[in-house]
Amino acid sequence: MAPTATQSILQLLEETLPPCFPRKKVHDLTFGLVNPRTLANKDSEKTGPTGRFFVKREVWYQKSAFIAYLKTILKDAEFSA
């Protein structure tokens, strides 16, 4: 069985994301899928990716926690025939 679109996207991100990355680069690293401002809002609501940390004044994420977060927000479209 072929992988779903969500599975394909998650696999691509698993292969291409660095181990850690700053929030401001999320838009480019996720091919426009995730907006850094949305993540900032989610972080302030305590619903964003876990394991974030600061380098100087920048928020950074760990790849494994970020992908786990993406799994909670991505959904495959359901088409009716």
Side-chain angles (χ1 to χ4, degrees):
M1 185 157 105
T4 65
T6 299
Q7 291 169 336
S8 297
I9 291 167
L10 291 171
Q11 179 65 34
L12 177 64
L13 291 174
E14 182 71 45
E15 294 168 0
T16 60
L17 285 177
C20 299
F21 50 91
R23 180 195 291 151
K24 68 182 181 182
K25 298 285 186 186
V26 164
H27 189 266
D28 294 332
L29 291 171
T30 61
F31 313 104
L33 185 65
V34 181
N35 190 311
R37 291 177 294 186
T38 301
L39 282 178
N41 290 336
K42 295 296 184 183
D43 286 341
S44 71
E45 296 169 354
K46 308 280 190 260
T47 59
T50 60
R52 69 184 173 145
F53 60 97
F54 291 87
V55 175
K56 296 187 181 182
R57 297 186 70 182
E58 288 185 336
V59 174
W60 283 58
Y61 298 106
Q62 299 171 22
K63 176 168 74 170
S64 58
F66 185 77
I67 288 179
Y69 168 75
L70 286 180
K71 287 179 182 178
T72 67
I73 65 169
L74 292 178
K75 304 281 187 260
D76 283 314
E78 295 181 20
F79 296 102
S80 57

